[in-house]
Structure formats: C-alpha cells, structure tokens
Amino acid sequence: MTTSRRGHLLGISGYLIWGAFPLYFPLLQPGGPVEILAHRIVWSCLTMAALVLLLRRRSQFVAILKDRRTAGLLGLAAVAITINWGVFILGVNSGRVVETSLGYFINPLVTMVMGVLVFRERMRPAQWVAVGIGVLACVVLTVDYGRPPWIALILALSFGSYGLLKKGAAADAIESLGFETLVIAPFALGFLVWLQGTGHSSLGTAGVGHVLLLASSGIVTAVPLLCFGAAATRIPLNVLGVMQYLTPSLHFAIGVLVVGEQMAPSRWAGFVLVWVALAVFTISAFHGRRRALQQRRRGDLPVNDVA
C-alpha cells in the first residue's frame, strides 16, 4: 500500500469514527451529559498520559509545562474543547443530532471569519460570498427552529476558538491534548467524586458493560486523533479539508435516518444554503491554492505563502 493511499484510509477512518459519535454517546446513558463529559475528560487524560509515555513524548510534554505562553494558550484551548464536548454530548443525547451536524458544517466558515478578525487574514470575494450565504442559512434556520440554532453556533464557535488557540500554541496533537485534559481532569474528577458521594452517579448502577463503555471514552477520543495526525503527514491538508465534511454528513444522516428527526421544507432550505456556502468556500480554496502553486513555480511567491 502506498503512503498516499494509507494516508487517505487513515484520514477517512478518523472522520468516520468522529461521524459515528452520535451513536456512541447515547450508549453512555443513564449518565447525564455533565457526568458523561466528566468521564470523557478523566479517561481521555489517562489515555493521553499512556500515549505520551508509550510514544516517548515526555520531553515534548515537559516543554509545554515550561513554556508559559504555550501552556496558557493550551489552558484556554482546554476550556474551549470542554465546552465543545459538553454541548455536543447534550445535543446528541437530547435528540438534536441534526443541529450538531450544522455546527460542524458551518465551522469552516466561522473559523475563516475568526482568522480575519484575529490574525488579519485576507479572504477572497468568493469566500465572503460563502460567509454571506452561511449567515442567510442561519437566519432561515432560526426562523424554522423559532430560535437561533444555539447548539450549532456554540459548537462552531468553541471549535473554531479551539483551532485558533491550537494554531497559536503550535504544539503536537498528542502532548497538547494530554496537557488540555490534564488541566480540566481535576475538576472533572472532583465532580465525579461529588456525584458518587451524593448518590447521584450512574457509575455501577447499569452493570459492568456501562462501566466499560464509560472507560472506553478515552480510547474513542484518542483513536481518531491518532488517525488524523497520521493522515496529515501523508496527504495534502486541502484533501483533509474536504474529508472533514464526512463527519457532519454522517451526523446529519444519523439524525434523519436513525434518530428520526423531522426535516420541514424550511429546514431543508437552510441546510441546502449551508451546503452551497461550503461548495463556494471549497472551490475558492482549491482555486486559491492552485494559483499560489503556479506563482510559486514562477518564483513569484515564497514557499511559506502556499496554504
């Protein structure tokens, strides 16, 4: 198997696992959303600690601890990903899977706007058109829901913020997620101890299988991350960028076909607008990269400017 084909398989595998999350987290009930979130954080922390040791990344992890700027950015990233995980679990376990899919569909658009606001990045006219269509889609869906799609908006904003903070920290995935979960784990563990002490914990009340499922949340978090990291070193990032739509597409399909969420015509109209916006955004990104590569071949553009 070629390196490129292996990279494609790893990337698709990672996004498919993330896409199956709406089927996984309901299995962790009768635990409530906050309890499930706390278990995910604690077990992810233990899993990432084991990976840091097994992959011999201790020196990189210690470097994060010593660098105040990196540690500070990853501390903020820990807060952002905790919000993202918590809202996602709340969404899928309350039967609003389609709305969670919307959050990850619009995330590239939100991230692009945040890049303009934070890093002063420039957007092409077509990308502004994509953002405008995305805003219109959110207006249509707000009218359909009778409220703003809060779950989708919080997911997109929290994950977009997480990505920007990780970009600023410039730390590798394994040790950075290990640090992030380590920051939040004491609070999560304290909450679980409190639940157990007050008799409100679901741990041990639904059989051994339930305990094992809760413990598996760490592995379920780590495996797609490892697949993504391995794929990123083997195939172009623009290919991974297109693959990312596999995840919300699966969320959407699960919400409609498995959970049985109703899709009124106005809701379909909103999602079609989102998909049109993403098509414009993706085509513009490919054309921009092609032009940059052509300029690079002519010697008009430095290598670092090819995104």
Side-chain angles (χ1 to χ4, degrees):
M1 182 182 295
T2 65
T3 299
S4 177
R5 181 173 295 180
R6 187 178 295 111
H8 281 83
L9 288 176
L10 286 166
I12 291 171
S13 298
Y15 284 119
L16 287 178
I17 294 171
W18 279 321
F21 274 8
L23 299 175
Y24 170 75
F25 283 106
L27 299 177
L28 305 188
Q29 295 174 325
V34 181
E35 182 182 3
I36 293 172
L37 171 64
H39 273 287
R40 184 180 185 184
I41 291 169
V42 170
W43 290 109
S44 294
C45 182
L46 294 173
T47 303
M48 301 314 295
L51 287 174
V52 167
L53 293 174
L54 290 172
L55 298 177
R56 299 181 180 179
R57 309 290 280 270
R58 285 174 291 182
S59 59
Q60 293 93 325
F61 186 81
V62 171
I64 292 176
L65 296 176
K66 292 180 177 179
D67 188 326
R68 290 186 179 181
R69 179 183 177 278
T70 302
L73 288 171
L74 291 180
L76 293 174
V79 175
I81 199 61
T82 298
I83 294 171
N84 184 269
W85 286 357
V87 172
F88 180 81
I89 293 168
L90 173 65
V92 299
N93 282 9
S94 60
R96 287 181 278 183
V97 179
V98 169
E99 191 174 345
T100 66
S101 76
L102 175 63
Y104 291 106
F105 274 128
I106 66 175
N107 176 68
L109 303 177
V110 170
T111 300
M112 183 168 55
V113 173
M114 294 176 77
V116 171
L117 296 175
V118 177
F119 294 110
R120 306 298 186 194
E121 296 177 354
R122 290 185 298 175
M123 292 203 307
R124 303 177 190 90
Q127 291 174 321
W128 281 113
V129 170
V131 171
I133 297 172
V135 171
L136 177 61
C138 288
V139 171
V140 171
L141 289 168
T142 295
V143 173
D144 174 76
Y145 282 114
R147 57 170 176 80
W150 291 117
I151 287 178
L153 292 174
I154 294 172
L155 285 175
L157 288 170
S158 60
F159 200 70
S161 300
Y162 179 70
L164 290 178
L165 289 163
K166 297 274 278 190
K167 179 179 179 179
D172 289 336
I174 300 297
E175 49 267 35
S176 62
L177 185 59
F179 179 85
E180 292 156 22
T181 53
L182 181 64
V183 169
I184 302 296
F187 302 98
L189 183 60
F191 177 74
L192 292 175
V193 170
W194 176 80
L195 277 183
Q196 198 71 38
T198 57
H200 293 95
S201 174
S202 68
L203 187 66
T205 64
V208 176
H210 181 249
V211 175
L212 294 176
L213 280 170
L214 288 171
S216 72
S217 60
I219 297 174
V220 167
T221 298
V223 169
L225 179 70
L226 292 172
C227 289
F228 174 83
T233 63
R234 291 172 169 84
I235 58 177
L237 289 180
N238 62 331
V239 176
L240 274 179
V242 174
M243 283 185 184
Q244 73 176 315
Y245 299 132
L246 278 173
T247 294
S249 297
L250 274 175
H251 293 173
F252 182 84
I254 290 170
V256 174
L257 301 176
V258 179
V259 179
E261 294 186 49
Q262 297 299 311
M263 290 291 293
S266 56
R267 193 166 301 179
W268 276 113
F271 270 88
V272 168
L273 284 171
V274 169
W275 295 331
V276 170
L278 290 175
V280 172
F281 168 78
T282 303
I283 292 170
S284 174
F286 270 108
H287 285 173
R289 179 176 174 82
R290 183 179 299 170
R291 284 195 298 269
L293 287 171
Q294 290 172 348
Q295 290 176 331
R296 176 188 164 191
R297 292 190 190 101
R298 294 196 302 264
D300 298 334
L301 190 69
V303 174
N304 291 337
D305 285 349
V306 181

PDB file of all heavy atoms in Angstrom, residues 88-123:
ATOM      1  N   PHE A  88     -21.841  19.116  22.579  1.00  0.00           N
ATOM      2  CA  PHE A  88     -22.090  18.026  21.629  1.00  0.00           C
ATOM      3  C   PHE A  88     -22.812  16.867  22.318  1.00  0.00           C
ATOM      4  O   PHE A  88     -23.789  16.332  21.784  1.00  0.00           O
ATOM      5  CB  PHE A  88     -20.766  17.536  21.035  1.00  0.00           C
ATOM      6  CG  PHE A  88     -20.934  16.420  20.039  1.00  0.00           C
ATOM      7  CD1 PHE A  88     -21.296  16.690  18.730  1.00  0.00           C
ATOM      8  CD2 PHE A  88     -20.751  15.095  20.412  1.00  0.00           C
ATOM      9  CE1 PHE A  88     -21.460  15.663  17.806  1.00  0.00           C
ATOM     10  CE2 PHE A  88     -20.915  14.066  19.506  1.00  0.00           C
ATOM     11  CZ  PHE A  88     -21.268  14.353  18.194  1.00  0.00           C
ATOM     12  N   ILE A  89     -22.339  16.469  23.488  1.00  0.00           N
ATOM     13  CA  ILE A  89     -22.990  15.373  24.219  1.00  0.00           C
ATOM     14  C   ILE A  89     -24.432  15.736  24.547  1.00  0.00           C
ATOM     15  O   ILE A  89     -25.348  14.914  24.409  1.00  0.00           O
ATOM     16  CB  ILE A  89     -22.193  15.041  25.503  1.00  0.00           C
ATOM     17  CG1 ILE A  89     -20.825  14.449  25.132  1.00  0.00           C
ATOM     18  CG2 ILE A  89     -22.970  14.061  26.392  1.00  0.00           C
ATOM     19  CD1 ILE A  89     -19.861  14.357  26.305  1.00  0.00           C
ATOM     20  N   LEU A  90     -24.648  16.982  24.992  1.00  0.00           N
ATOM     21  CA  LEU A  90     -26.009  17.446  25.284  1.00  0.00           C
ATOM     22  C   LEU A  90     -26.881  17.358  24.044  1.00  0.00           C
ATOM     23  O   LEU A  90     -28.029  16.888  24.104  1.00  0.00           O
ATOM     24  CB  LEU A  90     -25.961  18.889  25.797  1.00  0.00           C
ATOM     25  CG  LEU A  90     -27.312  19.585  25.993  1.00  0.00           C
ATOM     26  CD1 LEU A  90     -28.103  18.888  27.097  1.00  0.00           C
ATOM     27  CD2 LEU A  90     -27.119  21.058  26.323  1.00  0.00           C
ATOM     28  N   GLY A  91     -26.329  17.785  22.891  1.00  0.00           N
ATOM     29  CA  GLY A  91     -27.105  17.777  21.664  1.00  0.00           C
ATOM     30  C   GLY A  91     -27.498  16.384  21.219  1.00  0.00           C
ATOM     31  O   GLY A  91     -28.679  16.110  20.964  1.00  0.00           O
ATOM     32  N   VAL A  92     -26.538  15.474  21.136  1.00  0.00           N
ATOM     33  CA  VAL A  92     -26.839  14.136  20.608  1.00  0.00           C
ATOM     34  C   VAL A  92     -27.684  13.328  21.588  1.00  0.00           C
ATOM     35  O   VAL A  92     -28.499  12.498  21.169  1.00  0.00           O
ATOM     36  CB  VAL A  92     -25.556  13.364  20.233  1.00  0.00           C
ATOM     37  CG1 VAL A  92     -24.794  14.099  19.145  1.00  0.00           C
ATOM     38  CG2 VAL A  92     -24.670  13.113  21.439  1.00  0.00           C
ATOM     39  N   ASN A  93     -27.513  13.556  22.900  1.00  0.00           N
ATOM     40  CA  ASN A  93     -28.273  12.782  23.867  1.00  0.00           C
ATOM     41  C   ASN A  93     -29.658  13.369  24.140  1.00  0.00           C
ATOM     42  O   ASN A  93     -30.437  12.796  24.892  1.00  0.00           O
ATOM     43  CB  ASN A  93     -27.500  12.658  25.187  1.00  0.00           C
ATOM     44  CG  ASN A  93     -26.400  11.610  25.101  1.00  0.00           C
ATOM     45  OD1 ASN A  93     -26.107  11.102  24.026  1.00  0.00           O
ATOM     46  ND2 ASN A  93     -25.785  11.283  26.220  1.00  0.00           N
ATOM     47  N   SER A  94     -29.948  14.529  23.535  1.00  0.00           N
ATOM     48  CA  SER A  94     -31.293  15.110  23.661  1.00  0.00           C
ATOM     49  C   SER A  94     -32.028  15.075  22.320  1.00  0.00           C
ATOM     50  O   SER A  94     -33.051  15.736  22.152  1.00  0.00           O
ATOM     51  CB  SER A  94     -31.208  16.553  24.172  1.00  0.00           C
ATOM     52  OG  SER A  94     -30.464  17.375  23.276  1.00  0.00           O
ATOM     53  N   GLY A  95     -31.496  14.289  21.367  1.00  0.00           N
ATOM     54  CA  GLY A  95     -32.184  14.103  20.100  1.00  0.00           C
ATOM     55  C   GLY A  95     -32.058  15.254  19.127  1.00  0.00           C
ATOM     56  O   GLY A  95     -32.896  15.397  18.227  1.00  0.00           O
ATOM     57  N   ARG A  96     -31.007  16.084  19.266  1.00  0.00           N
ATOM     58  CA  ARG A  96     -30.805  17.208  18.339  1.00  0.00           C
ATOM     59  C   ARG A  96     -29.511  16.983  17.543  1.00  0.00           C
ATOM     60  O   ARG A  96     -28.639  17.850  17.482  1.00  0.00           O
ATOM     61  CB  ARG A  96     -30.770  18.521  19.117  1.00  0.00           C
ATOM     62  CG  ARG A  96     -32.156  18.926  19.620  1.00  0.00           C
ATOM     63  CD  ARG A  96     -32.134  20.240  20.368  1.00  0.00           C
ATOM     64  NE  ARG A  96     -31.708  20.070  21.743  1.00  0.00           N
ATOM     65  CZ  ARG A  96     -31.661  21.054  22.631  1.00  0.00           C
ATOM     66  NH1 ARG A  96     -32.000  22.279  22.274  1.00  0.00           N
ATOM     67  NH2 ARG A  96     -31.270  20.818  23.872  1.00  0.00           N
ATOM     68  N   VAL A  97     -29.439  15.828  16.927  1.00  0.00           N
ATOM     69  CA  VAL A  97     -28.238  15.442  16.188  1.00  0.00           C
ATOM     70  C   VAL A  97     -28.074  16.292  14.934  1.00  0.00           C
ATOM     71  O   VAL A  97     -26.954  16.687  14.574  1.00  0.00           O
ATOM     72  CB  VAL A  97     -28.285  13.941  15.827  1.00  0.00           C
ATOM     73  CG1 VAL A  97     -27.043  13.541  15.046  1.00  0.00           C
ATOM     74  CG2 VAL A  97     -28.410  13.095  17.090  1.00  0.00           C
ATOM     75  N   VAL A  98     -29.180  16.581  14.252  1.00  0.00           N
ATOM     76  CA  VAL A  98     -29.106  17.382  13.030  1.00  0.00           C
ATOM     77  C   VAL A  98     -28.522  18.755  13.338  1.00  0.00           C
ATOM     78  O   VAL A  98     -27.717  19.287  12.571  1.00  0.00           O
ATOM     79  CB  VAL A  98     -30.504  17.514  12.390  1.00  0.00           C
ATOM     80  CG1 VAL A  98     -30.503  18.568  11.281  1.00  0.00           C
ATOM     81  CG2 VAL A  98     -30.943  16.164  11.814  1.00  0.00           C
ATOM     82  N   GLU A  99     -28.902  19.331  14.478  1.00  0.00           N
ATOM     83  CA  GLU A  99     -28.370  20.646  14.834  1.00  0.00           C
ATOM     84  C   GLU A  99     -26.878  20.577  15.145  1.00  0.00           C
ATOM     85  O   GLU A  99     -26.130  21.510  14.847  1.00  0.00           O
ATOM     86  CB  GLU A  99     -29.129  21.229  16.026  1.00  0.00           C
ATOM     87  CG  GLU A  99     -28.801  22.693  16.266  1.00  0.00           C
ATOM     88  CD  GLU A  99     -29.659  23.325  17.345  1.00  0.00           C
ATOM     89  OE1 GLU A  99     -30.698  22.741  17.720  1.00  0.00           O
ATOM     90  OE2 GLU A  99     -29.277  24.407  17.817  1.00  0.00           O
ATOM     91  N   THR A 100     -26.435  19.464  15.739  1.00  0.00           N
ATOM     92  CA  THR A 100     -24.986  19.332  15.969  1.00  0.00           C
ATOM     93  C   THR A 100     -24.242  19.235  14.636  1.00  0.00           C
ATOM     94  O   THR A 100     -23.136  19.759  14.495  1.00  0.00           O
ATOM     95  CB  THR A 100     -24.652  18.094  16.830  1.00  0.00           C
ATOM     96  OG1 THR A 100     -24.979  16.899  16.135  1.00  0.00           O
ATOM     97  CG2 THR A 100     -25.389  18.126  18.164  1.00  0.00           C
ATOM     98  N   SER A 101     -24.851  18.572  13.658  1.00  0.00           N
ATOM     99  CA  SER A 101     -24.201  18.476  12.344  1.00  0.00           C
ATOM    100  C   SER A 101     -24.050  19.861  11.731  1.00  0.00           C
ATOM    101  O   SER A 101     -23.035  20.161  11.090  1.00  0.00           O
ATOM    102  CB  SER A 101     -24.993  17.563  11.406  1.00  0.00           C
ATOM    103  OG  SER A 101     -26.154  18.189  10.894  1.00  0.00           O
ATOM    104  N   LEU A 102     -25.047  20.719  11.938  1.00  0.00           N
ATOM    105  CA  LEU A 102     -24.975  22.081  11.416  1.00  0.00           C
ATOM    106  C   LEU A 102     -23.758  22.811  11.980  1.00  0.00           C
ATOM    107  O   LEU A 102     -23.080  23.548  11.263  1.00  0.00           O
ATOM    108  CB  LEU A 102     -26.259  22.840  11.762  1.00  0.00           C
ATOM    109  CG  LEU A 102     -26.293  24.324  11.399  1.00  0.00           C
ATOM    110  CD1 LEU A 102     -26.194  24.513   9.891  1.00  0.00           C
ATOM    111  CD2 LEU A 102     -27.560  24.984  11.956  1.00  0.00           C
ATOM    112  N   GLY A 103     -23.480  22.583  13.270  1.00  0.00           N
ATOM    113  CA  GLY A 103     -22.334  23.238  13.892  1.00  0.00           C
ATOM    114  C   GLY A 103     -21.031  22.925  13.197  1.00  0.00           C
ATOM    115  O   GLY A 103     -20.193  23.814  12.978  1.00  0.00           O
ATOM    116  N   TYR A 104     -20.858  21.676  12.798  1.00  0.00           N
ATOM    117  CA  TYR A 104     -19.606  21.284  12.150  1.00  0.00           C
ATOM    118  C   TYR A 104     -19.613  21.585  10.649  1.00  0.00           C
ATOM    119  O   TYR A 104     -18.547  21.693  10.038  1.00  0.00           O
ATOM    120  CB  TYR A 104     -19.303  19.820  12.430  1.00  0.00           C
ATOM    121  CG  TYR A 104     -18.954  19.613  13.891  1.00  0.00           C
ATOM    122  CD1 TYR A 104     -19.861  19.010  14.756  1.00  0.00           C
ATOM    123  CD2 TYR A 104     -17.752  20.075  14.408  1.00  0.00           C
ATOM    124  CE1 TYR A 104     -19.555  18.852  16.109  1.00  0.00           C
ATOM    125  CE2 TYR A 104     -17.442  19.926  15.754  1.00  0.00           C
ATOM    126  CZ  TYR A 104     -18.352  19.315  16.592  1.00  0.00           C
ATOM    127  OH  TYR A 104     -18.056  19.178  17.928  1.00  0.00           O
ATOM    128  N   PHE A 105     -20.818  21.724  10.057  1.00  0.00           N
ATOM    129  CA  PHE A 105     -20.872  22.185   8.672  1.00  0.00           C
ATOM    130  C   PHE A 105     -20.417  23.643   8.570  1.00  0.00           C
ATOM    131  O   PHE A 105     -19.673  24.012   7.658  1.00  0.00           O
ATOM    132  CB  PHE A 105     -22.292  22.051   8.111  1.00  0.00           C
ATOM    133  CG  PHE A 105     -22.611  20.702   7.533  1.00  0.00           C
ATOM    134  CD1 PHE A 105     -23.737  20.000   7.936  1.00  0.00           C
ATOM    135  CD2 PHE A 105     -21.798  20.130   6.563  1.00  0.00           C
ATOM    136  CE1 PHE A 105     -24.041  18.761   7.404  1.00  0.00           C
ATOM    137  CE2 PHE A 105     -22.096  18.884   6.008  1.00  0.00           C
ATOM    138  CZ  PHE A 105     -23.220  18.199   6.444  1.00  0.00           C
ATOM    139  N   ILE A 106     -20.885  24.485   9.497  1.00  0.00           N
ATOM    140  CA  ILE A 106     -20.553  25.910   9.401  1.00  0.00           C
ATOM    141  C   ILE A 106     -19.218  26.248  10.059  1.00  0.00           C
ATOM    142  O   ILE A 106     -18.733  27.380   9.926  1.00  0.00           O
ATOM    143  CB  ILE A 106     -21.661  26.795  10.015  1.00  0.00           C
ATOM    144  CG1 ILE A 106     -21.783  26.573  11.529  1.00  0.00           C
ATOM    145  CG2 ILE A 106     -22.994  26.538   9.329  1.00  0.00           C
ATOM    146  CD1 ILE A 106     -22.777  27.509  12.190  1.00  0.00           C
ATOM    147  N   ASN A 107     -18.602  25.277  10.726  1.00  0.00           N
ATOM    148  CA  ASN A 107     -17.342  25.557  11.420  1.00  0.00           C
ATOM    149  C   ASN A 107     -16.251  26.126  10.493  1.00  0.00           C
ATOM    150  O   ASN A 107     -15.557  27.078  10.879  1.00  0.00           O
ATOM    151  CB  ASN A 107     -16.829  24.285  12.111  1.00  0.00           C
ATOM    152  CG  ASN A 107     -15.483  24.497  12.755  1.00  0.00           C
ATOM    153  OD1 ASN A 107     -15.343  25.232  13.726  1.00  0.00           O
ATOM    154  ND2 ASN A 107     -14.453  23.864  12.210  1.00  0.00           N
ATOM    155  N   PRO A 108     -16.056  25.592   9.263  1.00  0.00           N
ATOM    156  CA  PRO A 108     -15.020  26.190   8.399  1.00  0.00           C
ATOM    157  C   PRO A 108     -15.274  27.663   8.107  1.00  0.00           C
ATOM    158  O   PRO A 108     -14.329  28.457   8.037  1.00  0.00           O
ATOM    159  CB  PRO A 108     -15.094  25.339   7.128  1.00  0.00           C
ATOM    160  CG  PRO A 108     -15.678  24.040   7.563  1.00  0.00           C
ATOM    161  CD  PRO A 108     -16.653  24.391   8.634  1.00  0.00           C
ATOM    162  N   LEU A 109     -16.542  28.034   7.945  1.00  0.00           N
ATOM    163  CA  LEU A 109     -16.870  29.434   7.678  1.00  0.00           C
ATOM    164  C   LEU A 109     -16.585  30.299   8.899  1.00  0.00           C
ATOM    165  O   LEU A 109     -16.032  31.398   8.792  1.00  0.00           O
ATOM    166  CB  LEU A 109     -18.338  29.565   7.271  1.00  0.00           C
ATOM    167  CG  LEU A 109     -18.780  28.748   6.054  1.00  0.00           C
ATOM    168  CD1 LEU A 109     -20.270  28.909   5.813  1.00  0.00           C
ATOM    169  CD2 LEU A 109     -18.002  29.169   4.815  1.00  0.00           C
ATOM    170  N   VAL A 110     -16.964  29.795  10.077  1.00  0.00           N
ATOM    171  CA  VAL A 110     -16.720  30.533  11.319  1.00  0.00           C
ATOM    172  C   VAL A 110     -15.224  30.680  11.559  1.00  0.00           C
ATOM    173  O   VAL A 110     -14.734  31.754  11.933  1.00  0.00           O
ATOM    174  CB  VAL A 110     -17.394  29.813  12.506  1.00  0.00           C
ATOM    175  CG1 VAL A 110     -16.961  30.429  13.841  1.00  0.00           C
ATOM    176  CG2 VAL A 110     -18.913  29.883  12.372  1.00  0.00           C
ATOM    177  N   THR A 111     -14.477  29.604  11.331  1.00  0.00           N
ATOM    178  CA  THR A 111     -13.026  29.646  11.528  1.00  0.00           C
ATOM    179  C   THR A 111     -12.382  30.660  10.588  1.00  0.00           C
ATOM    180  O   THR A 111     -11.455  31.382  10.974  1.00  0.00           O
ATOM    181  CB  THR A 111     -12.420  28.248  11.284  1.00  0.00           C
ATOM    182  OG1 THR A 111     -12.996  27.320  12.218  1.00  0.00           O
ATOM    183  CG2 THR A 111     -10.910  28.267  11.486  1.00  0.00           C
ATOM    184  N   MET A 112     -12.880  30.719   9.356  1.00  0.00           N
ATOM    185  CA  MET A 112     -12.335  31.655   8.381  1.00  0.00           C
ATOM    186  C   MET A 112     -12.547  33.102   8.844  1.00  0.00           C
ATOM    187  O   MET A 112     -11.633  33.928   8.782  1.00  0.00           O
ATOM    188  CB  MET A 112     -12.997  31.432   7.019  1.00  0.00           C
ATOM    189  CG  MET A 112     -12.469  32.296   5.898  1.00  0.00           C
ATOM    190  SD  MET A 112     -13.067  31.717   4.297  1.00  0.00           S
ATOM    191  CE  MET A 112     -14.853  31.721   4.563  1.00  0.00           C
ATOM    192  N   VAL A 113     -13.742  33.410   9.333  1.00  0.00           N
ATOM    193  CA  VAL A 113     -14.031  34.759   9.825  1.00  0.00           C
ATOM    194  C   VAL A 113     -13.187  35.081  11.053  1.00  0.00           C
ATOM    195  O   VAL A 113     -12.655  36.192  11.190  1.00  0.00           O
ATOM    196  CB  VAL A 113     -15.530  34.906  10.141  1.00  0.00           C
ATOM    197  CG1 VAL A 113     -15.807  36.248  10.812  1.00  0.00           C
ATOM    198  CG2 VAL A 113     -16.361  34.785   8.869  1.00  0.00           C
ATOM    199  N   MET A 114     -13.016  34.104  11.936  1.00  0.00           N
ATOM    200  CA  MET A 114     -12.190  34.328  13.118  1.00  0.00           C
ATOM    201  C   MET A 114     -10.738  34.572  12.726  1.00  0.00           C
ATOM    202  O   MET A 114     -10.028  35.363  13.364  1.00  0.00           O
ATOM    203  CB  MET A 114     -12.298  33.124  14.064  1.00  0.00           C
ATOM    204  CG  MET A 114     -13.683  32.954  14.667  1.00  0.00           C
ATOM    205  SD  MET A 114     -13.846  31.469  15.696  1.00  0.00           S
ATOM    206  CE  MET A 114     -13.005  31.988  17.173  1.00  0.00           C
ATOM    207  N   GLY A 115     -10.273  33.921  11.671  1.00  0.00           N
ATOM    208  CA  GLY A 115      -8.917  34.150  11.186  1.00  0.00           C
ATOM    209  C   GLY A 115      -8.735  35.580  10.701  1.00  0.00           C
ATOM    210  O   GLY A 115      -7.685  36.196  10.906  1.00  0.00           O
ATOM    211  N   VAL A 116      -9.785  36.123  10.078  1.00  0.00           N
ATOM    212  CA  VAL A 116      -9.739  37.514   9.624  1.00  0.00           C
ATOM    213  C   VAL A 116      -9.677  38.458  10.822  1.00  0.00           C
ATOM    214  O   VAL A 116      -8.893  39.413  10.855  1.00  0.00           O
ATOM    215  CB  VAL A 116     -10.971  37.841   8.751  1.00  0.00           C
ATOM    216  CG1 VAL A 116     -11.045  39.336   8.462  1.00  0.00           C
ATOM    217  CG2 VAL A 116     -10.921  37.048   7.451  1.00  0.00           C
ATOM    218  N   LEU A 117     -10.506  38.179  11.827  1.00  0.00           N
ATOM    219  CA  LEU A 117     -10.596  39.067  12.984  1.00  0.00           C
ATOM    220  C   LEU A 117      -9.365  38.985  13.879  1.00  0.00           C
ATOM    221  O   LEU A 117      -8.918  40.004  14.429  1.00  0.00           O
ATOM    222  CB  LEU A 117     -11.854  38.727  13.787  1.00  0.00           C
ATOM    223  CG  LEU A 117     -13.197  38.943  13.078  1.00  0.00           C
ATOM    224  CD1 LEU A 117     -14.337  38.459  13.950  1.00  0.00           C
ATOM    225  CD2 LEU A 117     -13.376  40.402  12.705  1.00  0.00           C
ATOM    226  N   VAL A 118      -8.811  37.778  14.046  1.00  0.00           N
ATOM    227  CA  VAL A 118      -7.717  37.582  14.999  1.00  0.00           C
ATOM    228  C   VAL A 118      -6.355  37.731  14.327  1.00  0.00           C
ATOM    229  O   VAL A 118      -5.464  38.424  14.842  1.00  0.00           O
ATOM    230  CB  VAL A 118      -7.823  36.194  15.680  1.00  0.00           C
ATOM    231  CG1 VAL A 118      -6.641  35.960  16.615  1.00  0.00           C
ATOM    232  CG2 VAL A 118      -9.134  36.098  16.456  1.00  0.00           C
ATOM    233  N   PHE A 119      -6.170  37.083  13.172  1.00  0.00           N
ATOM    234  CA  PHE A 119      -4.861  37.061  12.524  1.00  0.00           C
ATOM    235  C   PHE A 119      -4.753  38.012  11.329  1.00  0.00           C
ATOM    236  O   PHE A 119      -3.749  38.004  10.626  1.00  0.00           O
ATOM    237  CB  PHE A 119      -4.526  35.629  12.073  1.00  0.00           C
ATOM    238  CG  PHE A 119      -4.348  34.667  13.213  1.00  0.00           C
ATOM    239  CD1 PHE A 119      -5.285  33.675  13.452  1.00  0.00           C
ATOM    240  CD2 PHE A 119      -3.248  34.755  14.046  1.00  0.00           C
ATOM    241  CE1 PHE A 119      -5.131  32.783  14.503  1.00  0.00           C
ATOM    242  CE2 PHE A 119      -3.080  33.864  15.098  1.00  0.00           C
ATOM    243  CZ  PHE A 119      -4.015  32.887  15.328  1.00  0.00           C
ATOM    244  N   ARG A 120      -5.820  38.808  11.105  1.00  0.00           N
ATOM    245  CA  ARG A 120      -5.823  39.757   9.985  1.00  0.00           C
ATOM    246  C   ARG A 120      -5.624  39.055   8.647  1.00  0.00           C
ATOM    247  O   ARG A 120      -5.009  39.603   7.724  1.00  0.00           O
ATOM    248  CB  ARG A 120      -4.732  40.828  10.164  1.00  0.00           C
ATOM    249  CG  ARG A 120      -4.780  41.556  11.483  1.00  0.00           C
ATOM    250  CD  ARG A 120      -6.062  42.302  11.664  1.00  0.00           C
ATOM    251  NE  ARG A 120      -6.056  43.113  12.877  1.00  0.00           N
ATOM    252  CZ  ARG A 120      -7.134  43.663  13.411  1.00  0.00           C
ATOM    253  NH1 ARG A 120      -8.324  43.464  12.854  1.00  0.00           N
ATOM    254  NH2 ARG A 120      -7.062  44.386  14.501  1.00  0.00           N
ATOM    255  N   GLU A 121      -6.103  37.818   8.547  1.00  0.00           N
ATOM    256  CA  GLU A 121      -6.010  37.112   7.273  1.00  0.00           C
ATOM    257  C   GLU A 121      -6.974  37.743   6.266  1.00  0.00           C
ATOM    258  O   GLU A 121      -7.991  38.325   6.648  1.00  0.00           O
ATOM    259  CB  GLU A 121      -6.343  35.625   7.473  1.00  0.00           C
ATOM    260  CG  GLU A 121      -5.337  34.897   8.369  1.00  0.00           C
ATOM    261  CD  GLU A 121      -5.734  33.448   8.617  1.00  0.00           C
ATOM    262  OE1 GLU A 121      -6.844  33.068   8.192  1.00  0.00           O
ATOM    263  OE2 GLU A 121      -4.947  32.718   9.242  1.00  0.00           O
ATOM    264  N   ARG A 122      -6.642  37.611   4.998  1.00  0.00           N
ATOM    265  CA  ARG A 122      -7.476  38.178   3.956  1.00  0.00           C
ATOM    266  C   ARG A 122      -8.318  37.085   3.303  1.00  0.00           C
ATOM    267  O   ARG A 122      -7.860  35.973   3.091  1.00  0.00           O
ATOM    268  CB  ARG A 122      -6.616  38.872   2.899  1.00  0.00           C
ATOM    269  CG  ARG A 122      -5.959  40.156   3.396  1.00  0.00           C
ATOM    270  CD  ARG A 122      -5.215  40.857   2.281  1.00  0.00           C
ATOM    271  NE  ARG A 122      -4.133  40.028   1.745  1.00  0.00           N
ATOM    272  CZ  ARG A 122      -3.394  40.369   0.691  1.00  0.00           C
ATOM    273  NH1 ARG A 122      -3.647  41.492   0.048  1.00  0.00           N
ATOM    274  NH2 ARG A 122      -2.426  39.579   0.271  1.00  0.00           N
ATOM    275  N   MET A 123      -9.570  37.437   2.999  1.00  0.00           N
ATOM    276  CA  MET A 123     -10.455  36.493   2.329  1.00  0.00           C
ATOM    277  C   MET A 123     -10.723  36.971   0.907  1.00  0.00           C
ATOM    278  O   MET A 123     -10.799  38.173   0.639  1.00  0.00           O
ATOM    279  CB  MET A 123     -11.781  36.357   3.085  1.00  0.00           C
ATOM    280  CG  MET A 123     -11.667  35.688   4.435  1.00  0.00           C
ATOM    281  SD  MET A 123     -13.227  34.957   5.016  1.00  0.00           S
ATOM    282  CE  MET A 123     -14.354  36.321   4.875  1.00  0.00           C
TER     283      MET A 123
END
